[in-house]
Amino acid sequence: MSTATQAMTLKEQLLEKFETELPSLFGEAALRRSAAQQFEATGFPTRKWEDYKYINPDAVLKKGFGTRIAAFRDITAEDVAELSPVKDAYVFVIINGHFVPDLSFSGELPDGLTVESIADAVVSDPAAKAHYAELADSAADPFIAINTALADSGLFMHIAQDSVIERPVHFLHIATNEVSAFLQPRHLVVAETNAQAILIETFESIGPVRSFTNVLAEVVVADNAKLDHYRLQTENEAGHLLSTVQAHVSANALYNTYTFTTGGAFVRNNLNVEIAGEHAEAHLYGLYLPSGNSVVDNHTLVDHQVPNCMSNELYKGVMYDHSQAVFNGKIYVQRDAQKTNAFQNNKNILLSDDASINTKPQLEIYADDVKCSHGTSTGRMDEEALFYLRTRGIGEDNARKLLVNAFAEEVVNAVPHEELRNYIDTLIARRMGTV
Amino acid sequence: MISINNLHASVEGKEILRGLNLEVKPGEVHAIMGPNGSGKSTLASVLAGREDYEVTQGTVSFNGKDLLDLSPEDRAREGLFLAFQYPVEIPGVSNINFLKTAINAIREYKGEGPMEAKDFLALVKEKQKLVELDGKLAGRSVNEGFSGGEKKRNEIFQMAMLEPKLAILDETDSGLDIDALRIVANGVNKLRSPERSFIVVTHYQRLLDYIVPDVVHVLWNGRIVKSGPKELALELEEKGYDWIKAEANTVEA
Ligand SMILES: Nc1ncnc2c1ncn2[C@@H]1O[C@H](COP(=O)(O)OP(=O)(O)O)[C@@H](O)[C@H]1O
Ligand SMILES: [Mg+2]
C-alpha cells in the first residue's frame, strides 16, 4: 500500500476503487455511476445528520478501514458447521463480503428454491434483474449508495410461486480480513406469490483485525407469501456492522423479522418495511445486549401505504458497562392506509450507571381511522424481585441473570423455530456468562 | 433457634426498631401482633436481609451464626424463610424454574448435588397438595396474575418446598377468606415439627385459632412491649392496643 493511499480518506479510496473497478462489476453501470455520484455528494453521515445523531459513523470509520480485501484466514468446513445455529439449514458462506461457493451448500436444493451468486443472477435471472436495486434508494442513505455503487458479491435467494421451503436458508457472514477493511455484501431475496421460507443471516467476525461490514439486503415478499427473516449479530470487538434491510410486503403477505445483537463494537440496523398490499402483516422483533464500549443502534421504519394492514414491533435492550444503544422506530401511516393497526414497544434495562439508551418512537399518521400505539420504558434491575429471589437462596449473580433472562424471553419466545430459539437462548446465556 | 438482642434498625435515617429482644427456641411458634406501622414488617425484612434497612445496634444469632453478617441468600441457605406480606410478581421467571434454582442453590451450599428431575417433580406434586395450589400455577411466572389468596398460598408452597428451620410469616392471613385461611394454616401446621420454628406476624386473632402459638408478643413503636400465652391474643382482640400503649408509656416514663 502506498503512502498516498494511506493518506486518503475512506470516501476517497472507495471512489477511486469505483473508477478502477466499474468495468468489471456486475449489472448496470449507469445505476452504479449515479449511486457513486450520490455518495460523492454527501459522503458518510456525520453527527449532524438527524438519523445518525446519536452515533457517529464518520468517527467510527475514521478508525481506519481500507478497501483492499486480502486473503483471509482459512475457514474450514468444520468452522462453518460450528457457526450454524440450525443443523438442517442450507448454508451459504460469505467471507469478507464475498460469497464462497466451496464452503457453501453444494447438494440439490428443493424444488422452487434458488440460491446463487448475485453477480450471476443479475445477469441471468429475470426475477433478479427485475428486482435488483428496485427497493434500495441511493438517495435515502449514503450506505445504500456506496453499496449500490461498489457491491461485487452477495446472494440471490428466490422462492418460486407456491413453493414452501421447510428447511431454513442460512447466510453465514464471516469478517476475517488480514487488513482492516470496509466490506459490502449485497443480497436480494424474492418470495413469490404463495411462497414460504425462512432466512437466517448470521454475522461473525474472527480475529483481531478491524472490519466494517456494510451489508444490504432487499427483500420482496409477494402476495400471500410468508418470510421469517432472522439476523443474529455476534461479531467480536473488532467487528463493525451496518445492516440495511429494505423490504416490500404485498397483499396478504406476512413478513417476520427477528434481530438479535449480542456482539460487535458497533452495530447499526436500518430496517425499512413497506407495507404495500392490503391485509399484509409485519412483525419486527429485536433484542440487543451490548456490553463494554459497544454501540447498538436500531432504526426501524414501517411504512403503511394501504388500508387494512397490521404491524407489530417489540424491541428490548439490556445494557451493560459503558455500552450505548439507540432505538428509533418510525411508523408512517399514509393517507390511504385506513384501518391500520400499528403497534410498537421498546423496553430497556440499564445494568450500569455508565450505560445509556436513547429511545425515540416517531408516529406519523395521516389516516384517521387507525389503531396505533407506542410505548417505551427504561428502567433498572427490579430490586424487589432481586431481593425476593435471594431470600429463596438464589445467589445474587444468578438472580440477576434469571431476571435479565426473563426480560429477554419475551422476545426470544416470539421465535417460532425451536432449534433456533434454543440457540438464541445459548447466545444470551453466553453473553451473560452463564455458560 | 434465633436470638435477637437489643436490635435497632433505621430506614432513610428514621429509626423503626428501637431495642427489640426476642428468643425463639426450636419447635416453638411465636406470634407477633401490633398496630399498623409498629415495625413488624421491618423486623421481618431486617431478618431476611433487605438492604434498605440499616441495623445500627444489636445482634441476631441464628443457630449460633451471626445472622446480620450473612447475605440474604446465605440466610435462606442456613434455613431462614420469609413469607412476604406482599409477594413480588416476576414476569418471565416460571415458578418451577425458580424453585428448582432455589432448591439446587441451597443444596449446593450444603455440598449436595442437584436434585433429580423426577424427585423434584414428585416433591412439587406433594407440596402443592398441601396448600391445595392449582398445578397450573406452577408453570406460570412467579406470582404473575395470581389472586391475593394464590400469592399467599404460593408463599406457603415455597416454604414447604424449601423446608426451612425458621419461617417468618408476615401477615400471610390478611386478605384471605376463611377457606383460604384454613388451607394456609393447615399447610403451616403440617410443617410444624420439634426442629422447626415459626414467627407468625398477624393483625388478627382468628389465624391463631388455627395456628396455635406458644407465645404471643405485642410489638409497638419498634419494641416488644408485652409477651404472654396464647390468651393474650384474645385479650388484644377484645380490648385493642390502647391499654398496651398506655402500659408501655408508663414503663418508658
Ligand atoms: N422503606 C421504607 N421507607 C420509609 N419508611 C418505612 C419503610 N418501611 C417502613 N417504613 C416505616 O416504618 C414504620 C414501620 O413499618 P412496618 O414495619 O411496615 O410496620 P407494620 O408491618 O408493623 O405495619 C412505618 O412508619 C413505615 O412508614
Ligand atoms: Mg407489615
Side-chain angles (χ1 to χ4, degrees), chain B residues 14-77:
Chain B
K14 180 173 144 200
E15 185 165 63
I16 313 287
L17 300 183
R18 309 192 307 133
L20 187 140
N21 298 299
L22 181 67
E23 169 95 34
V24 179
K25 299 219 154 57
E28 289 181 348
V29 175
H30 288 228
I32 296 183
M33 304 183 75
N36 264 333
S38 57
K40 303 184 296 295
S41 292
T42 302
L43 173 63
S45 294
V46 167
L47 295 181
R50 193 188 283 272
E51 274 151 13
D52 312 344
Y53 296 86
E54 194 198 346
V55 174
T56 51
Q57 257 191 79
T59 58
V60 180
S61 158
F62 181 54
N63 294 319
K65 289 217 159 74
D66 178 359
L67 186 76
L68 301 177
D69 212 29
L70 300 177
S71 65
E73 52 269 37
D74 280 349
R75 296 180 195 202
R77 294 161 181 172

XYZ file of all heavy atoms in Angstrom, chain B residues 14-77:
479
model
N -34.612 7.132 59.627
C -35.662 7.111 60.647
C -35.568 5.785 61.404
O -35.576 4.710 60.793
C -37.015 7.231 59.932
C -38.227 7.235 60.821
C -39.482 7.528 59.971
C -40.685 6.741 60.464
N -41.748 6.607 59.473
N -35.468 5.870 62.711
C -35.332 4.640 63.493
C -36.690 3.957 63.646
O -37.646 4.556 64.151
C -34.736 4.932 64.879
C -34.469 3.645 65.643
C -33.563 3.836 66.860
O -33.973 4.555 67.782
O -32.461 3.246 66.874
N -36.771 2.701 63.206
C -38.038 1.961 63.260
C -37.992 0.918 64.378
O -38.899 0.832 65.199
C -38.341 1.254 61.919
C -38.130 2.188 60.730
C -39.752 0.661 61.941
C -39.150 3.250 60.535
N -36.936 0.131 64.412
C -36.774 -0.823 65.513
C -35.891 -0.171 66.564
O -34.826 0.355 66.258
C -36.151 -2.132 65.010
C -36.952 -2.885 63.937
C -36.264 -4.199 63.577
C -38.386 -3.136 64.392
N -36.360 -0.226 67.826
C -35.700 0.585 68.831
C -35.369 -0.240 70.071
O -35.851 0.033 71.164
C -36.588 1.781 69.192
C -37.057 2.531 67.925
C -37.686 3.862 68.222
N -38.747 3.754 69.205
C -38.878 4.568 70.262
N -38.022 5.551 70.445
N -39.857 4.388 71.105
N -34.596 -1.284 69.863
C -34.184 -2.108 71.001
C -35.088 -3.308 71.181
O -35.748 -3.458 72.208
N -35.112 -4.144 70.160
C -36.033 -5.280 70.173
C -35.322 -6.543 70.647
O -34.205 -6.839 70.226
C -36.591 -5.470 68.757
C -37.697 -6.506 68.590
C -38.750 -5.997 67.615
C -37.156 -7.851 68.135
N -35.984 -7.265 71.549
C -35.454 -8.535 72.046
C -36.452 -9.644 71.771
O -37.649 -9.456 71.971
C -35.203 -8.468 73.556
C -34.175 -7.406 73.893
O -33.022 -7.479 73.457
N -34.600 -6.386 74.633
N -35.921 -10.776 71.295
C -36.805 -11.916 71.038
C -35.964 -13.189 70.992
O -34.886 -13.212 70.403
C -37.528 -11.728 69.696
C -38.511 -12.829 69.283
C -39.717 -12.870 70.220
C -38.989 -12.604 67.842
N -36.497 -14.221 71.623
C -35.780 -15.505 71.658
C -36.785 -16.578 71.256
O -37.848 -16.694 71.857
C -35.278 -15.733 73.097
C -34.743 -17.112 73.381
C -33.218 -17.179 73.226
O -32.556 -16.162 73.545
O -32.713 -18.225 72.772
N -36.454 -17.320 70.207
C -37.340 -18.401 69.760
C -36.561 -19.704 69.796
O -35.483 -19.805 69.219
C -37.873 -18.138 68.331
C -38.776 -19.286 67.871
C -38.626 -16.814 68.270
N -37.131 -20.696 70.473
C -36.454 -21.996 70.598
C -36.962 -22.958 69.519
O -38.048 -22.757 68.970
C -36.742 -22.582 71.982
C -36.250 -21.712 73.121
C -35.660 -22.565 74.232
C -34.636 -21.779 75.044
N -35.202 -20.534 75.637
N -36.189 -23.997 69.217
C -36.610 -24.964 68.201
C -38.002 -25.513 68.508
O -38.314 -25.814 69.666
C -35.564 -26.077 68.285
C -34.345 -25.411 68.822
C -34.846 -24.333 69.743
N -38.835 -25.615 67.481
C -40.165 -26.186 67.631
C -41.224 -25.199 68.087
O -42.408 -25.505 68.048
N -40.818 -24.004 68.488
C -41.792 -23.049 69.012
C -42.458 -22.227 67.911
O -41.863 -21.966 66.869
C -41.116 -22.070 69.983
C -40.705 -22.715 71.304
C -40.058 -21.723 72.272
O -39.722 -20.590 71.863
O -39.885 -22.102 73.439
N -43.689 -21.813 68.215
C -44.382 -20.875 67.342
C -44.634 -19.600 68.130
O -45.267 -19.629 69.189
C -45.728 -21.444 66.847
C -46.483 -20.393 66.044
C -45.499 -22.696 66.006
N -44.077 -18.497 67.632
C -44.285 -17.208 68.282
C -45.154 -16.332 67.401
O -44.897 -16.224 66.202
C -42.955 -16.495 68.526
C -42.147 -17.120 69.614
N -41.571 -16.396 70.639
C -41.813 -18.423 69.850
C -40.924 -17.217 71.452
N -41.054 -18.449 70.991
N -46.176 -15.730 67.974
C -46.990 -14.781 67.222
C -46.534 -13.380 67.576
O -46.215 -13.093 68.728
C -48.457 -14.962 67.571
N -46.463 -12.512 66.543
C -46.180 -11.103 66.809
C -47.349 -10.296 66.302
O -47.736 -10.387 65.134
C -44.870 -10.641 66.136
C -43.687 -11.398 66.745
C -44.691 -9.137 66.303
C -42.335 -10.970 66.214
N -47.963 -9.556 67.226
C -49.098 -8.708 66.866
C -48.708 -7.262 67.138
O -47.674 -6.990 67.734
C -50.332 -9.110 67.674
C -50.667 -10.588 67.496
S -52.154 -11.134 68.356
C -53.423 -10.443 67.308
N -49.548 -6.372 66.672
C -49.237 -4.970 66.924
C -49.931 -4.104 65.899
O -50.255 -4.564 64.808
N -50.158 -2.836 66.258
C -50.855 -1.929 65.349
C -50.053 -1.712 64.062
O -48.858 -1.963 64.019
C -50.961 -0.623 66.129
C -50.388 -0.853 67.476
C -49.740 -2.190 67.510
N -50.764 -1.220 63.039
C -50.101 -0.864 61.786
C -48.965 0.102 62.028
O -49.102 1.031 62.814
C -51.105 -0.189 60.850
C -51.684 -1.200 59.885
O -51.054 -2.198 59.566
N -52.906 -0.942 59.453
N -47.867 -0.108 61.348
C -46.758 0.834 61.440
C -45.891 0.641 62.663
O -45.000 1.447 62.928
N -46.116 -0.441 63.414
C -45.330 -0.597 64.637
C -43.945 -1.196 64.355
O -43.077 -1.153 65.219
C -46.095 -1.455 65.644
O -46.412 -2.702 65.082
N -43.750 -1.756 63.155
C -42.412 -2.248 62.800
C -42.338 -3.743 62.554
O -41.246 -4.291 62.434
N -43.477 -4.399 62.416
C -43.489 -5.854 62.233
C -42.811 -6.267 60.926
O -41.948 -7.143 60.909
C -44.938 -6.376 62.274
C -45.687 -6.031 63.567
C -47.070 -6.635 63.615
C -48.023 -6.121 62.544
N -48.355 -4.676 62.652
N -43.233 -5.606 59.836
C -42.619 -5.953 58.542
C -41.155 -5.542 58.501
O -40.328 -6.193 57.860
C -43.367 -5.287 57.386
O -44.651 -5.848 57.260
N -40.852 -4.461 59.200
C -39.449 -4.036 59.271
C -38.605 -5.126 59.923
O -37.529 -5.473 59.422
C -39.330 -2.718 60.060
O -40.128 -1.735 59.406
C -37.890 -2.246 60.148
N -39.103 -5.680 61.003
C -38.383 -6.765 61.669
C -38.176 -7.932 60.711
O -37.067 -8.461 60.573
C -39.153 -7.225 62.917
C -38.588 -8.477 63.605
C -37.184 -8.220 64.142
C -39.509 -8.961 64.725
N -39.255 -8.314 60.014
C -39.162 -9.433 59.070
C -38.120 -9.129 57.991
O -37.299 -9.979 57.640
C -40.531 -9.696 58.443
N -38.152 -7.900 57.474
C -37.223 -7.519 56.402
C -35.780 -7.508 56.879
O -34.871 -7.936 56.164
C -37.560 -6.122 55.875
O -38.813 -6.141 55.250
N -35.576 -6.989 58.081
C -34.211 -6.936 58.627
C -33.675 -8.356 58.805
O -32.533 -8.646 58.456
C -34.179 -6.163 59.964
C -32.851 -6.371 60.684
C -34.432 -4.679 59.714
N -34.536 -9.254 59.281
C -34.085 -10.636 59.477
C -33.778 -11.308 58.142
O -32.854 -12.099 58.028
C -35.131 -11.438 60.264
C -35.367 -10.973 61.712
C -36.407 -11.859 62.390
C -34.066 -10.978 62.520
N -34.559 -10.974 57.119
C -34.339 -11.599 55.810
C -33.169 -10.959 55.066
O -32.676 -11.516 54.095
C -35.604 -11.516 54.966
N -32.753 -9.764 55.489
C -31.560 -9.156 54.907
C -31.813 -8.083 53.882
O -30.959 -7.803 53.041
N -32.960 -7.436 53.936
C -33.231 -6.362 52.965
C -32.254 -5.214 53.180
O -32.016 -4.790 54.310
C -34.669 -5.860 53.139
C -35.127 -4.992 51.987
C -36.460 -4.363 52.298
N -37.558 -5.305 52.139
C -38.192 -5.509 50.976
N -37.826 -4.843 49.909
N -39.187 -6.368 50.901
N -31.683 -4.746 52.062
C -30.567 -3.809 52.186
C -30.968 -2.373 52.522
O -30.146 -1.594 53.000
C -29.700 -3.849 50.915
C -28.657 -4.961 51.002
C -28.261 -5.531 49.649
O -28.600 -4.922 48.624
O -27.626 -6.596 49.637
N -32.246 -2.019 52.302
C -32.671 -0.642 52.599
C -32.608 -0.341 54.097
O -32.631 0.817 54.501
C -34.129 -0.386 52.179
C -34.420 -0.862 50.776
O -33.448 -1.093 50.051
O -35.607 -1.008 50.438
N -32.600 -1.392 54.901
C -32.650 -1.185 56.346
C -31.257 -1.256 56.948
O -30.500 -2.185 56.685
C -33.548 -2.243 57.001
C -34.980 -2.135 56.554
C -35.409 -2.776 55.397
C -35.906 -1.354 57.263
C -36.721 -2.661 54.961
C -37.213 -1.238 56.832
C -37.619 -1.892 55.678
O -38.911 -1.764 55.255
N -30.965 -0.270 57.754
C -29.646 -0.234 58.362
C -29.754 -0.628 59.827
O -30.506 -0.007 60.596
C -29.068 1.178 58.241
C -27.584 1.226 58.529
C -27.097 2.637 58.832
O -27.854 3.599 58.568
O -25.977 2.756 59.357
N -29.025 -1.681 60.184
C -29.005 -2.081 61.589
C -27.955 -1.227 62.289
O -26.794 -1.210 61.908
C -28.674 -3.574 61.732
C -28.506 -3.949 63.194
C -29.764 -4.418 61.084
N -28.393 -0.465 63.305
C -27.476 0.467 63.957
C -26.941 -0.073 65.284
O -25.923 0.390 65.783
C -28.169 1.822 64.198
O -29.419 1.576 64.850
C -28.421 2.546 62.888
N -27.660 -1.043 65.852
C -27.234 -1.617 67.135
C -27.828 -2.996 67.268
O -28.871 -3.279 66.678
C -27.817 -0.776 68.277
C -26.840 0.164 68.957
C -27.485 0.716 70.236
O -27.529 0.038 71.247
N -27.993 1.940 70.169
N -27.211 -3.818 68.117
C -27.810 -5.092 68.469
C -27.234 -6.265 67.698
O -26.431 -6.092 66.775
N -27.668 -7.456 68.096
C -27.159 -8.683 67.471
C -28.310 -9.640 67.204
O -29.344 -9.585 67.875
C -26.167 -9.415 68.392
O -26.846 -9.725 69.624
C -24.944 -8.581 68.688
N -28.102 -10.487 66.191
C -29.047 -11.571 65.929
C -28.237 -12.835 65.710
O -27.392 -12.886 64.822
C -29.907 -11.298 64.681
C -30.881 -12.467 64.462
C -30.664 -9.988 64.799
N -28.488 -13.806 66.557
C -27.787 -15.065 66.403
C -28.782 -16.109 65.919
O -29.860 -16.274 66.486
C -27.169 -15.458 67.745
O -26.942 -16.834 67.766
N -28.421 -16.781 64.822
C -29.308 -17.772 64.210
C -28.575 -19.110 64.207
O -27.595 -19.281 63.488
C -29.658 -17.312 62.786
C -30.596 -18.238 62.050
C -31.821 -18.618 62.597
C -30.267 -18.716 60.793
C -32.690 -19.452 61.911
C -31.126 -19.558 60.090
C -32.340 -19.926 60.656
N -29.023 -20.017 65.048
C -28.342 -21.307 65.215
C -26.830 -21.131 65.380
O -26.023 -21.785 64.710
C -28.657 -22.236 64.035
C -30.122 -22.622 64.027
O -30.720 -22.891 65.071
N -30.722 -22.617 62.850
N -26.477 -20.170 66.193
C -25.068 -19.961 66.514
C -24.320 -19.064 65.538
O -23.192 -18.674 65.784
N -24.963 -18.726 64.391
C -24.286 -17.865 63.410
C -24.748 -16.420 63.574
O -25.884 -16.165 63.976
C -24.626 -18.329 61.993
C -23.984 -19.657 61.608
C -23.565 -19.629 60.135
C -22.505 -20.655 59.821
N -23.018 -22.043 59.781
N -23.855 -15.493 63.232
C -24.217 -14.079 63.244
C -25.051 -13.786 61.994
O -24.513 -13.617 60.900
C -22.936 -13.232 63.248
C -23.239 -11.739 63.214
O -24.435 -11.369 63.167
O -22.274 -10.951 63.230
N -26.358 -13.733 62.178
C -27.264 -13.617 61.028
C -27.007 -12.348 60.228
O -27.055 -12.347 59.000
C -28.727 -13.646 61.506
C -29.771 -13.685 60.382
C -29.872 -15.071 59.765
C -31.144 -13.242 60.871
N -26.739 -11.255 60.949
C -26.623 -9.955 60.287
C -25.403 -9.875 59.371
O -25.297 -8.981 58.544
C -26.580 -8.838 61.333
C -27.818 -8.796 62.235
C -27.674 -7.716 63.304
C -29.082 -8.564 61.426
N -24.517 -10.850 59.531
C -23.306 -10.886 58.734
C -23.511 -11.630 57.408
O -22.636 -11.622 56.552
C -22.227 -11.615 59.552
C -20.849 -11.081 59.242
O -20.767 -9.897 58.888
O -19.888 -11.860 59.345
N -24.666 -12.254 57.253
C -24.892 -13.097 56.078
C -25.681 -12.354 54.998
O -26.512 -11.493 55.300
C -25.672 -14.361 56.472
C -25.039 -15.289 57.507
C -25.999 -16.439 57.827
C -23.711 -15.836 56.999
N -25.425 -12.718 53.738
C -26.224 -12.185 52.627
C -27.627 -12.791 52.699
O -27.820 -13.822 53.349
C -25.569 -12.565 51.301
O -25.598 -13.976 51.154
N -28.606 -12.164 52.052
C -29.961 -12.734 52.071
C -29.977 -14.195 51.610
O -30.666 -15.025 52.214
C -30.732 -11.854 51.086
C -30.001 -10.558 51.064
C -28.555 -10.895 51.312
N -29.192 -14.506 50.554
C -29.213 -15.882 50.048
C -28.615 -16.855 51.052
O -29.109 -17.970 51.221
C -28.541 -15.998 48.680
C -27.139 -15.416 48.542
C -27.141 -13.960 48.089
O -28.049 -13.198 48.516
O -26.236 -13.585 47.322
N -27.553 -16.417 51.757
C -26.960 -17.315 52.746
C -27.873 -17.501 53.959
O -27.888 -18.567 54.564
C -25.578 -16.815 53.181
C -24.504 -17.190 52.159
O -24.821 -18.000 51.254
O -23.371 -16.685 52.261
N -28.639 -16.495 54.296
C -29.632 -16.662 55.375
C -30.627 -17.749 54.987
O -30.974 -18.618 55.792
C -30.358 -15.347 55.637
C -29.414 -14.266 56.138
C -30.126 -12.958 56.392
N -29.120 -11.889 56.527
C -29.321 -10.740 57.136
N -30.509 -10.472 57.675
N -28.367 -9.845 57.212
N -31.093 -17.673 53.713
C -32.045 -18.686 53.237
C -31.393 -20.063 53.252
O -32.001 -21.052 53.653
C -32.511 -18.336 51.834
N -30.135 -20.117 52.842
C -29.433 -21.401 52.770
C -29.183 -21.982 54.157
O -29.094 -23.191 54.335
C -28.100 -21.219 52.035
C -28.303 -20.853 50.565
C -27.058 -20.236 49.967
N -27.264 -19.877 48.567
C -26.387 -19.183 47.847
N -25.243 -18.770 48.391
N -26.635 -18.904 46.594
